[in-house]
Coordinates of all heavy atoms in Angstrom, one line a residue:
M1 N 12.8 211.6 86.9 CA 11.7 211.8 85.9 C 10.6 210.8 86.2 O 10.9 209.6 86.5 CB 12.3 211.7 84.6 CG 11.4 211.0 83.5 SD 12.2 210.9 81.9 CE 10.9 209.9 81.1
T2 N 9.4 211.3 86.1 CA 8.3 210.4 86.3 C 7.6 210.1 85.0 O 7.4 211.0 84.2 CB 7.2 211.0 87.3 OG1 6.9 212.3 86.8 CG2 7.7 211.2 88.7
T3 N 7.3 208.8 84.8 CA 6.6 208.4 83.6 C 5.1 208.6 83.9 O 4.6 208.9 85.0 CB 6.8 207.0 83.3 OG1 6.2 206.2 84.3 CG2 8.3 206.6 83.3
E4 N 4.3 208.6 82.8 CA 2.9 208.8 82.9 C 2.3 207.7 83.7 O 1.3 207.9 84.5 CB 2.3 208.7 81.5 CG 0.9 209.4 81.4 CD 0.5 209.5 80.0 OE1 1.2 210.1 79.1 OE2 -0.6 209.1 79.7
L5 N 2.9 206.5 83.6 CA 2.4 205.3 84.3 C 2.5 205.5 85.8 O 1.6 205.2 86.6 CB 3.1 204.0 83.9 CG 2.3 202.7 84.1 CD1 1.1 202.7 83.3 CD2 3.3 201.5 83.8
Q6 N 3.7 206.0 86.2 CA 4.0 206.3 87.6 C 3.0 207.4 88.1 O 2.5 207.3 89.3 CB 5.4 206.8 87.8 CG 6.4 205.6 87.9 CD 7.8 206.1 87.9 OE1 8.2 207.1 87.3 NE2 8.7 205.4 88.6
D7 N 2.8 208.4 87.3 CA 1.8 209.4 87.7 C 0.4 208.8 87.9 O -0.2 209.2 89.0 CB 1.7 210.5 86.6 CG 2.7 211.6 86.7 OD1 3.5 211.5 87.7 OD2 2.8 212.5 86.0
Q8 N 0.1 207.9 87.1 CA -1.3 207.3 87.2 C -1.3 206.5 88.5 O -2.3 206.5 89.2 CB -1.6 206.4 86.1 CG -2.1 207.2 84.8 CD -2.4 206.3 83.6 OE1 -2.4 205.1 83.8 NE2 -2.6 206.9 82.5
A9 N -0.2 205.7 88.8 CA -0.2 204.9 90.0 C -0.3 205.8 91.2 O -1.0 205.5 92.2 CB 1.1 204.1 90.0
E10 N 0.4 206.9 91.2 CA 0.4 207.8 92.3 C -1.0 208.4 92.5 O -1.5 208.5 93.6 CB 1.5 208.9 92.1 CG 1.6 210.0 93.1 CD 2.1 209.5 94.4 OE1 2.5 208.3 94.4 OE2 2.1 210.3 95.4
Q11 N -1.6 208.8 91.4 CA -3.0 209.3 91.5 C -3.9 208.3 92.1 O -4.8 208.6 92.9 CB -3.5 209.7 90.0 CG -2.9 211.1 89.5 CD -3.2 212.2 90.5 OE1 -4.3 212.4 91.0 NE2 -2.2 213.0 90.9
H12 N -3.8 207.1 91.6 CA -4.6 206.0 92.1 C -4.4 205.8 93.6 O -5.3 205.7 94.4 CB -4.3 204.7 91.4 CG -5.1 203.6 91.8 ND1 -6.5 203.5 91.5 CD2 -4.8 202.5 92.5 CE1 -7.0 202.4 92.0 NE2 -6.0 201.7 92.6
R13 N -3.2 205.8 94.0 CA -2.8 205.7 95.4 C -3.4 206.8 96.3 O -4.0 206.5 97.3 CB -1.2 205.7 95.6 CG -0.7 205.1 96.9 CD 0.8 205.2 96.9 NE 1.3 206.5 97.0 CZ 1.4 207.3 98.2 NH1 1.0 206.7 99.3 NH2 1.8 208.5 98.2
L14 N -3.4 208.0 95.8 CA -4.0 209.1 96.5 C -5.5 209.0 96.5 O -6.1 209.4 97.5 CB -3.5 210.5 95.9 CG -2.0 210.8 96.1 CD1 -1.7 212.1 95.3 CD2 -1.7 211.0 97.5
T15 N -6.1 208.5 95.4 CA -7.5 208.4 95.4 C -8.0 207.3 96.5 O -8.9 207.6 97.2 CB -8.0 208.0 94.0 OG1 -7.5 208.9 93.1 CG2 -9.5 207.8 93.9
M16 N -7.3 206.2 96.5 CA -7.6 205.2 97.4 C -7.4 205.7 98.9 O -8.2 205.4 99.8 CB -6.6 204.0 97.3 CG -6.8 203.2 96.0 SD -8.5 202.7 95.7 CE -8.5 201.3 96.8
L17 N -6.4 206.5 99.1 CA -6.1 207.0 100.4 C -7.2 208.0 100.8 O -7.6 207.9 102.0 CB -4.7 207.7 100.3 CG -4.2 208.3 101.6 CD1 -3.9 207.1 102.6 CD2 -3.0 209.1 101.4
R18 N -7.6 208.8 99.9 CA -8.7 209.8 100.2 C -10.0 209.0 100.6 O -10.6 209.4 101.6 CB -8.9 210.7 99.0 CG -9.8 211.9 99.4 CD -10.0 212.8 98.2 NE -8.7 213.4 97.8 CZ -8.2 213.3 96.5 NH1 -8.9 212.8 95.6 NH2 -7.0 213.9 96.2
Q19 N -10.2 207.9 99.9 CA -11.3 207.0 100.1 C -11.2 206.5 101.6 O -12.2 206.5 102.3 CB -11.4 205.9 99.1 CG -12.7 205.1 99.2 CD -13.9 206.0 99.0 OE1 -14.0 206.6 98.0 NE2 -14.8 205.9 99.9
T20 N -10.1 206.0 101.9 CA -9.8 205.4 103.2 C -10.1 206.4 104.3 O -10.8 206.1 105.4 CB -8.4 204.9 103.4 OG1 -8.2 203.9 102.3 CG2 -8.2 204.1 104.7
L21 N -9.5 207.6 104.2 CA -9.7 208.7 105.1 C -11.1 209.1 105.3 O -11.6 209.3 106.4 CB -8.7 209.8 104.8 CG -7.3 209.6 104.8 CD1 -6.5 210.7 104.3 CD2 -6.8 209.5 106.4
T22 N -11.8 209.2 104.1 CA -13.2 209.6 104.1 C -14.0 208.6 104.9 O -14.9 208.9 105.6 CB -13.7 209.8 102.7 OG1 -12.8 210.7 102.0 CG2 -15.1 210.4 102.7
D23 N -13.7 207.3 104.6 CA -14.5 206.2 105.3 C -14.2 206.3 106.7 O -15.2 206.1 107.6 CB -14.0 204.8 104.8 CG -14.5 204.5 103.4 OD1 -15.3 205.3 102.9 OD2 -14.1 203.5 102.8
Q24 N -13.0 206.4 107.2 CA -12.6 206.5 108.6 C -13.4 207.7 109.2 O -13.8 207.6 110.4 CB -11.1 206.7 108.7 CG -10.4 205.4 108.7 CD -10.8 204.5 109.9 OE1 -10.9 204.9 111.0 NE2 -11.1 203.3 109.5
F25 N -13.4 208.8 108.5 CA -14.1 210.0 109.0 C -15.6 209.7 109.3 O -16.1 210.1 110.3 CB -13.9 211.1 107.9 CG -14.2 212.5 108.5 CD1 -13.2 213.2 109.2 CD2 -15.5 213.0 108.4 CE1 -13.5 214.4 109.7 CE2 -15.7 214.3 109.0 CZ -14.7 215.0 109.6
A26 N -16.2 209.0 108.4 CA -17.6 208.6 108.6 C -17.8 207.7 109.8 O -18.7 207.9 110.6 CB -18.1 208.0 107.3
V27 N -16.9 206.7 109.9 CA -16.9 205.8 111.1 C -16.8 206.6 112.3 O -17.6 206.4 113.3 CB -15.8 204.7 110.9 CG1 -15.7 204.0 112.2 CG2 -16.1 203.8 109.8
Q28 N -15.8 207.5 112.4 CA -15.6 208.2 113.6 C -16.7 209.2 113.9 O -17.1 209.4 115.1 CB -14.2 209.0 113.5 CG -13.0 208.1 113.4 CD -12.7 207.3 114.6 OE1 -13.1 207.6 115.7 NE2 -11.9 206.2 114.4
T29 N -17.3 209.7 112.9 CA -18.4 210.6 113.1 C -19.6 209.9 113.7 O -20.3 210.3 114.6 CB -18.9 211.3 111.7 OG1 -17.8 212.0 111.2 CG2 -20.0 212.3 111.9
A30 N -19.9 208.7 113.2 CA -21.0 207.8 113.7 C -20.7 207.5 115.1 O -21.6 207.5 116.0 CB -21.0 206.5 112.9
R31 N -19.4 207.2 115.5 CA -19.1 206.9 116.9 C -19.3 208.1 117.7 O -19.8 207.9 118.9 CB -17.6 206.4 116.9 CG -17.2 206.0 118.3 CD -15.8 205.5 118.4 NE -15.6 204.2 117.5 CZ -14.5 203.7 117.2 NH1 -13.4 204.4 117.6 NH2 -14.4 202.7 116.5
L32 N -19.0 209.3 117.2 CA -19.2 210.5 118.0 C -20.6 210.7 118.3 O -21.0 211.0 119.5 CB -18.6 211.7 117.2 CG -18.4 213.0 117.9 CD1 -17.2 212.8 119.0 CD2 -18.0 214.1 117.0
T33 N -21.5 210.5 117.4 CA -22.9 210.6 117.6 C -23.4 209.5 118.6 O -24.2 209.9 119.5 CB -23.6 210.3 116.2 OG1 -23.1 211.1 115.2 CG2 -25.2 210.6 116.3
E34 N -22.9 208.3 118.6 CA -23.2 207.3 119.5 C -22.8 207.7 120.9 O -23.6 207.6 121.9 CB -22.5 206.0 119.2 CG -23.4 204.9 118.8 CD -22.5 203.7 118.3 OE1 -21.7 203.3 119.1 OE2 -22.6 203.4 117.1
L35 N -21.6 208.2 121.0 CA -21.1 208.6 122.3 C -21.8 209.8 122.9 O -21.8 209.9 124.2 CB -19.6 208.9 122.2 CG -18.7 207.6 121.9 CD1 -17.2 208.1 121.5 CD2 -18.6 206.8 123.2
T36 N -22.2 210.7 122.1 CA -22.9 211.9 122.6 C -24.3 211.6 123.1 O -25.0 212.4 123.8 CB -22.9 213.1 121.6 OG1 -23.3 212.6 120.4 CG2 -21.5 213.7 121.6
A37 N -24.9 210.5 122.6 CA -26.2 210.1 123.0 C -26.1 209.7 124.5 O -25.4 208.9 124.9 CB -26.7 208.9 122.2
D38 N -27.0 210.4 125.3 CA -26.9 210.1 126.8 C -27.6 208.8 127.2 O -28.8 208.6 126.9 CB -27.6 211.3 127.5 CG -27.3 211.3 129.0 OD1 -26.6 210.4 129.4 OD2 -27.8 212.3 129.6
T39 N -26.9 207.9 127.7 CA -27.4 206.7 128.2 C -28.0 206.8 129.6 O -28.7 205.8 130.0 CB -26.4 205.5 128.2 OG1 -25.4 205.9 129.1 CG2 -25.8 205.3 126.8
G40 N -27.8 207.8 130.2 CA -28.4 208.1 131.6 C -27.6 207.3 132.7 O -28.1 207.2 133.8
D41 N -26.5 206.7 132.3 CA -25.7 205.9 133.3 C -24.5 206.7 133.7 O -23.5 206.8 133.0 CB -25.3 204.6 132.6 CG -24.6 203.7 133.6 OD1 -24.3 204.1 134.7 OD2 -24.3 202.5 133.2
P42 N -24.6 207.2 134.9 CA -23.4 208.1 135.4 C -22.1 207.3 135.5 O -21.1 207.9 135.4 CB -23.9 208.6 136.7 CG -25.0 207.7 137.2 CD -25.6 207.1 135.9
A43 N -22.2 206.0 135.7 CA -21.0 205.2 135.8 C -20.3 205.1 134.5 O -19.0 205.0 134.4 CB -21.4 203.7 136.2
E44 N -20.9 205.3 133.4 CA -20.4 205.3 132.1 C -19.8 206.6 131.6 O -19.0 206.7 130.7 CB -21.4 204.9 131.1 CG -21.4 203.4 130.7 CD -22.4 203.1 129.5 OE1 -22.7 204.0 128.8 OE2 -22.9 202.0 129.5
A45 N -20.2 207.7 132.3 CA -19.9 209.0 131.9 C -18.4 209.3 131.8 O -18.0 209.9 130.8 CB -20.6 210.0 132.8
H46 N -17.7 208.8 132.7 CA -16.2 209.0 132.7 C -15.6 208.4 131.4 O -14.8 209.0 130.7 CB -15.5 208.6 133.9 CG -14.0 208.9 134.0 ND1 -13.6 210.2 134.2 CD2 -13.0 208.1 133.8 CE1 -12.3 210.1 134.1 NE2 -11.9 208.9 133.9
T47 N -15.9 207.1 131.2 CA -15.3 206.3 130.1 C -15.7 207.0 128.8 O -15.0 207.2 127.9 CB -16.0 204.9 130.1 OG1 -15.9 204.4 131.4 CG2 -15.2 204.0 129.2
R48 N -17.0 207.5 128.8 CA -17.5 208.1 127.6 C -16.8 209.4 127.2 O -16.5 209.6 126.1 CB -19.1 208.3 127.7 CG -19.8 208.1 126.4 CD -21.3 207.9 126.5 NE -21.8 208.9 127.3 CZ -22.7 208.7 128.3 NH1 -23.0 207.5 128.7 NH2 -23.2 209.8 129.0
A49 N -16.6 210.1 128.3 CA -15.8 211.4 128.1 C -14.5 211.2 127.5 O -14.1 211.9 126.6 CB -15.7 212.1 129.4
A50 N -13.8 210.1 128.0 CA -12.4 209.8 127.5 C -12.6 209.3 126.0 O -11.8 209.8 125.2 CB -11.8 208.7 128.3
L51 N -13.5 208.5 125.7 CA -13.7 208.0 124.3 C -14.1 209.2 123.4 O -13.6 209.2 122.3 CB -14.9 207.0 124.3 CG -14.5 205.6 124.8 CD1 -15.7 204.7 124.9 CD2 -13.4 204.9 123.9
L52 N -14.9 210.1 123.9 CA -15.3 211.2 123.1 C -14.1 212.1 122.7 O -13.9 212.5 121.6 CB -16.3 212.1 124.0 CG -17.7 212.0 123.6 CD1 -18.5 212.9 124.6 CD2 -18.0 212.4 122.2
A53 N -13.2 212.3 123.7 CA -12.0 213.1 123.5 C -11.1 212.4 122.4 O -10.7 213.1 121.5 CB -11.2 213.3 124.8
A54 N -11.0 211.1 122.5 CA -10.2 210.3 121.6 C -10.8 210.4 120.2 O -10.1 210.5 119.2 CB -10.0 208.9 122.1
T55 N -12.1 210.2 120.1 CA -12.8 210.3 118.8 C -12.7 211.6 118.1 O -12.4 211.8 117.0 CB -14.2 209.9 119.0 OG1 -14.3 208.7 119.7 CG2 -14.9 209.7 117.7
R56 N -12.8 212.6 119.0 CA -12.7 214.0 118.5 C -11.3 214.2 117.9 O -11.1 214.9 116.8 CB -13.0 215.0 119.5 CG -14.5 215.2 119.8 CD -14.9 216.6 120.1 NE -16.3 216.7 120.4 CZ -16.9 216.5 121.6 NH1 -16.1 216.3 122.7 NH2 -18.2 216.6 121.7
Q57 N -10.3 213.7 118.6 CA -8.9 213.9 118.2 C -8.7 213.2 116.8 O -8.0 213.7 115.9 CB -8.0 213.4 119.3 CG -6.6 213.9 119.1 CD -5.6 213.4 120.1 OE1 -5.7 212.3 120.5 NE2 -4.8 214.2 120.6
S58 N -9.3 211.9 116.7 CA -9.1 211.2 115.5 C -9.7 212.0 114.3 O -9.1 212.1 113.3 CB -9.9 209.9 115.6 OG -9.3 209.1 116.5
L59 N -10.9 212.5 114.5 CA -11.6 213.2 113.5 C -10.8 214.5 113.1 O -10.7 214.7 111.9 CB -13.0 213.8 114.0 CG -14.1 212.7 113.9 CD1 -15.3 213.2 114.7 CD2 -14.5 212.5 112.5
D60 N -10.2 215.1 114.1 CA -9.3 216.2 113.9 C -8.1 215.8 112.9 O -7.8 216.5 112.0 CB -8.7 216.7 115.2 CG -8.7 218.2 115.3 OD1 -9.6 218.8 114.8 OD2 -7.6 218.6 115.8
H61 N -7.5 214.7 113.3 CA -6.4 214.2 112.5 C -6.8 213.8 111.1 O -6.1 214.1 110.1 CB -5.7 213.0 113.2 CG -5.0 213.4 114.4 ND1 -4.5 212.5 115.4 CD2 -4.7 214.6 115.0 CE1 -3.9 213.1 116.3 NE2 -4.0 214.4 116.1
L62 N -7.9 213.2 111.0 CA -8.4 212.7 109.7 C -8.7 213.9 108.8 O -8.4 213.9 107.6 CB -9.6 211.8 109.8 CG -9.4 210.4 110.4 CD1 -10.7 209.8 110.8 CD2 -8.6 209.5 109.4
A63 N -9.4 214.9 109.4 CA -9.7 216.1 108.6 C -8.4 216.8 108.2 O -8.4 217.3 107.0 CB -10.5 217.1 109.5
G64 N -7.4 216.8 109.0 CA -6.2 217.4 108.7 C -5.5 216.7 107.6 O -5.0 217.3 106.6
A65 N -5.5 215.4 107.6 CA -4.9 214.6 106.5 C -5.7 214.8 105.2 O -5.0 215.0 104.2 CB -5.0 213.0 106.9
L66 N -7.0 214.9 105.2 CA -7.8 215.2 104.0 C -7.4 216.6 103.5 O -7.3 216.7 102.3 CB -9.3 215.1 104.3 CG -9.8 213.6 104.3 CD1 -11.2 213.6 105.0 CD2 -9.8 213.0 103.0
R67 N -7.2 217.5 104.4 CA -6.9 218.9 103.9 C -5.5 218.9 103.3 O -5.3 219.5 102.2 CB -7.0 219.8 105.1 CG -6.9 221.3 104.8 CD -6.7 222.2 106.0 NE -5.3 221.9 106.5 CZ -5.0 221.6 107.8 NH1 -6.1 221.6 108.6 NH2 -3.9 221.4 108.2
R68 N -4.5 218.2 103.9 CA -3.2 218.1 103.4 C -3.2 217.4 102.0 O -2.4 217.8 101.1 CB -2.2 217.5 104.3 CG -2.0 218.3 105.6 CD -0.8 217.8 106.4 NE -0.9 216.5 106.8 CZ -1.7 216.1 107.9 NH1 -2.3 216.9 108.6 NH2 -1.8 214.8 108.3
L69 N -4.0 216.4 101.8 CA -4.2 215.7 100.5 C -4.6 216.7 99.5 O -4.1 216.8 98.4 CB -5.2 214.6 100.6 CG -4.7 213.2 100.8 CD1 -5.9 212.3 100.9 CD2 -3.8 212.8 99.7
A70 N -5.6 217.5 99.8 CA -6.1 218.5 98.9 C -5.1 219.5 98.6 O -5.0 220.1 97.5 CB -7.4 219.2 99.5
E71 N -4.3 219.9 99.6 CA -3.3 221.0 99.3 C -2.0 220.5 98.7 O -1.2 221.2 98.3 CB -2.9 221.6 100.7 CG -4.0 222.5 101.3 CD -3.6 222.9 102.7 OE1 -2.7 222.3 103.3 OE2 -4.4 223.7 103.2
G72 N -1.9 219.1 98.6 CA -0.7 218.5 98.1 C 0.5 218.5 99.0 O 1.6 218.1 98.6
S73 N 0.3 218.7 100.3 CA 1.3 218.6 101.3 C 1.3 217.3 102.0 O 2.0 217.2 103.0 CB 1.3 219.9 102.2 OG 0.1 219.8 103.0
Y74 N 0.4 216.5 101.6 CA 0.2 215.2 102.4 C 1.5 214.3 102.3 O 2.1 214.3 101.3 CB -0.9 214.4 101.8 CG -1.1 213.1 102.5 CD1 -1.8 213.0 103.7 CD2 -0.6 211.9 102.0 CE1 -1.9 211.9 104.4 CE2 -0.7 210.7 102.7 CZ -1.4 210.7 103.9 OH -1.5 209.5 104.5
G75 N 1.8 213.7 103.4 CA 2.9 212.7 103.4 C 4.2 213.4 103.8 O 5.3 212.8 103.8
R76 N 4.2 214.6 104.2 CA 5.4 215.3 104.7 C 5.2 215.7 106.2 O 4.1 216.0 106.6 CB 5.6 216.7 103.9 CG 5.9 216.4 102.5 CD 6.9 217.5 101.9 NE 7.3 216.9 100.6 CZ 8.5 216.4 100.5 NH1 9.4 216.3 101.5 NH2 9.0 215.9 99.3
C77 N 6.3 215.5 106.8 CA 6.4 215.8 108.2 C 6.0 217.3 108.5 O 6.6 218.1 107.8 CB 7.7 215.5 108.9 SG 7.8 215.9 110.6
E78 N 5.1 217.6 109.4 CA 4.7 219.0 109.6 C 5.8 219.8 110.3 O 5.8 221.0 110.3 CB 3.4 219.1 110.4 CG 2.2 218.8 109.5 CD 0.9 219.1 110.3 OE1 0.9 219.7 111.3 OE2 -0.1 218.6 109.8
R79 N 6.7 219.1 110.9 CA 7.7 219.7 111.7 C 9.0 219.9 110.8 O 9.5 221.0 110.8 CB 8.1 219.0 113.0 CG 9.2 219.6 113.7 CD 9.3 219.0 115.1 NE 8.3 219.5 116.0 CZ 8.2 219.3 117.3 NH1 9.2 218.6 117.9 NH2 7.3 219.8 118.0
C80 N 9.5 218.8 110.3 CA 10.8 218.9 109.6 C 10.7 218.8 108.1 O 11.8 218.9 107.4 CB 11.8 217.9 110.2 SG 11.3 216.2 109.7
Q81 N 9.5 218.6 107.6 CA 9.2 218.6 106.1 C 9.8 217.4 105.4 O 9.7 217.4 104.2 CB 9.7 219.9 105.5 CG 9.2 221.2 106.1 CD 7.7 221.3 106.0 OE1 7.1 221.0 105.0 NE2 7.1 221.6 107.1
V82 N 10.3 216.4 106.1 CA 10.9 215.3 105.5 C 9.7 214.4 105.0 O 8.6 214.5 105.5 CB 11.8 214.5 106.5 CG1 11.0 213.6 107.4 CG2 12.8 213.6 105.7
A83 N 9.9 213.7 104.0 CA 8.8 212.8 103.5 C 8.6 211.6 104.4 O 9.6 211.0 104.8 CB 9.2 212.2 102.1
I84 N 7.4 211.4 104.9 CA 7.1 210.4 105.8 C 7.1 209.0 105.0 O 6.5 208.9 104.0 CB 5.7 210.6 106.5 CG1 5.7 211.9 107.3 CG2 5.4 209.4 107.4 CD1 4.4 212.3 107.8
P85 N 7.8 208.0 105.6 CA 8.0 206.7 104.9 C 6.6 206.1 104.6 O 5.7 206.2 105.4 CB 8.7 205.8 105.8 CG 9.4 206.8 106.7 CD 8.5 208.0 106.9
A86 N 6.4 205.5 103.4 CA 5.1 205.0 103.0 C 4.6 203.9 103.9 O 3.5 203.8 104.2 CB 5.3 204.3 101.6
E87 N 5.6 203.2 104.5 CA 5.1 202.1 105.5 C 4.5 202.7 106.7 O 3.5 202.1 107.2 CB 6.4 201.3 106.0 CG 7.3 200.7 104.9 CD 8.4 201.7 104.6 OE1 9.3 202.0 105.4 OE2 8.3 202.4 103.5
R88 N 5.0 203.8 107.1 CA 4.4 204.5 108.3 C 2.9 205.0 107.9 O 2.0 204.9 108.7 CB 5.2 205.7 108.7 CG 4.6 206.5 109.8 CD 5.7 207.3 110.5 NE 5.2 208.4 111.3 CZ 4.5 208.1 112.5 NH1 4.4 207.0 113.0 NH2 4.1 209.2 113.3
L89 N 2.8 205.5 106.7 CA 1.6 206.1 106.2 C 0.5 205.0 106.0 O -0.7 205.2 106.2 CB 1.7 206.9 105.0 CG 2.5 208.2 105.2 CD1 2.7 208.9 103.8 CD2 1.7 209.2 106.0
E90 N 1.0 203.8 105.7 CA 0.1 202.7 105.5 C -0.5 202.3 106.9 O -1.7 202.0 107.0 CB 0.8 201.5 105.0 CG 0.6 201.4 103.5 CD 1.5 200.3 102.8 OE1 1.6 199.2 103.4 OE2 2.1 200.6 101.8
V91 N 0.3 202.3 107.9 CA -0.1 202.0 109.2 C -1.0 203.1 109.8 O -2.0 202.9 110.4 CB 1.1 201.7 110.1 CG1 0.5 201.3 111.6 CG2 1.9 200.5 109.6
L92 N -0.6 204.3 109.6 CA -1.2 205.5 110.1 C -1.4 206.6 109.1 O -0.6 207.5 109.0 CB -0.3 206.0 111.3 CG -0.9 206.9 112.3 CD1 -1.9 206.2 113.2 CD2 0.2 207.5 113.2
P93 N -2.4 206.4 108.3 CA -2.6 207.3 107.1 C -2.7 208.8 107.5 O -2.4 209.7 106.7 CB -3.9 206.8 106.5 CG -4.1 205.5 106.9 CD -3.5 205.5 108.3
Q94 N -3.1 209.0 108.7 CA -3.3 210.4 109.1 C -2.1 211.0 109.9 O -2.1 212.0 110.5 CB -4.5 210.6 110.0 CG -4.5 210.0 111.4 CD -5.0 208.5 111.4 OE1 -4.7 207.8 110.4 NE2 -5.7 208.1 112.4
A95 N -0.9 210.3 109.8 CA 0.3 210.7 110.5 C 0.7 212.1 110.1 O 0.7 212.4 108.8 CB 1.4 209.7 110.2
R96 N 1.0 212.9 111.0 CA 1.4 214.3 110.7 C 2.9 214.6 110.8 O 3.5 215.5 110.2 CB 0.7 215.3 111.7 CG -0.8 215.3 111.5 CD -1.4 216.0 112.7 NE -1.0 217.3 112.8 CZ -1.1 218.0 114.0 NH1 -1.6 217.5 115.0 NH2 -0.7 219.3 114.0
F97 N 3.5 213.6 111.5 CA 5.0 213.8 111.8 C 5.8 212.5 111.4 O 5.2 211.4 111.4 CB 5.3 214.1 113.2 CG 4.5 215.3 113.7 CD1 3.5 215.2 114.6 CD2 4.9 216.6 113.3 CE1 2.8 216.3 115.1 CE2 4.3 217.7 113.8 CZ 3.2 217.5 114.7
C98 N 7.0 212.6 111.1 CA 7.8 211.5 110.9 C 8.1 210.9 112.2 O 7.8 211.5 113.3 CB 9.2 211.9 110.2 SG 10.2 212.9 111.2
V99 N 8.6 209.7 112.3 CA 8.8 209.0 113.6 C 9.6 209.8 114.6 O 9.2 209.9 115.7 CB 9.4 207.6 113.4 CG1 9.6 206.9 114.7 CG2 8.4 206.7 112.6
P100 N 10.8 210.2 114.2 CA 11.6 211.0 115.2 C 10.9 212.2 115.8 O 10.9 212.5 117.0 CB 12.9 211.4 114.4 CG 12.9 210.5 113.3 CD 11.5 210.1 113.0
C101 N 10.2 213.0 114.9 CA 9.4 214.2 115.4 C 8.2 213.7 116.3 O 7.9 214.4 117.3 CB 8.9 214.9 114.2 SG 10.2 215.9 113.4
Q102 N 7.6 212.6 115.9 CA 6.5 212.1 116.6 C 6.9 211.8 118.0 O 6.2 212.1 119.1 CB 5.9 210.8 116.0 CG 4.7 210.3 116.7 CD 3.4 211.1 116.5 OE1 2.9 211.2 115.4 NE2 2.9 211.7 117.5
Q103 N 8.1 211.2 118.1 CA 8.6 210.8 119.5 C 9.0 212.0 120.2 O 8.8 212.0 121.5 CB 9.9 209.9 119.3 CG 9.4 208.4 119.0 CD 10.6 207.5 118.5 OE1 11.7 208.0 118.3 NE2 10.3 206.3 118.3
R104 N 9.4 213.0 119.5 CA 9.8 214.3 120.3 C 8.6 215.0 120.8 O 8.6 215.6 121.8 CB 10.6 215.2 119.3 CG 12.0 215.4 119.9 CD 12.8 216.1 118.9 NE 13.4 215.2 117.9 CZ 13.7 215.5 116.6 NH1 13.4 216.7 116.1 NH2 14.2 214.6 115.8
T105 N 7.5 215.0 119.9 CA 6.3 215.7 120.4 C 5.6 214.8 121.5 O 4.7 215.4 122.2 CB 5.3 215.9 119.3 OG1 5.0 214.7 118.6 CG2 5.8 216.9 118.2
G106 N 5.8 213.6 121.5 CA 5.2 212.7 122.6 C 3.8 212.5 122.4 O 3.1 212.2 123.4
G107 N 3.2 212.6 121.2 CA 1.8 212.4 121.1 C 1.6 211.6 119.9 O 0.5 211.7 119.3
Ligands
ZN201 ZN1 9.9 215.2 111.1

């Protein structure tokens, strides 16, 4: 059974989390804009392409986490539906899989 106090704490935690994810999303969006600005330096192009891909992937993961938060499915492994440990979510708020599943997907 959950008490009202626990509910409030949980609500607060989710609000903070949404804030963190939203902030991260803004940071990554700004980085994406920076990276897409052409510096005219062909030597940088390769590095920039790799960074762009990584940034796009982060944005994708963050957007997914925000969507799952809104849907109420946040914090569950997308593969095995087990609850992802809070410690893992603290380190990686946008985690989609539990550790064993993450290792199995290799990404
Ligand atoms: Zn799993």
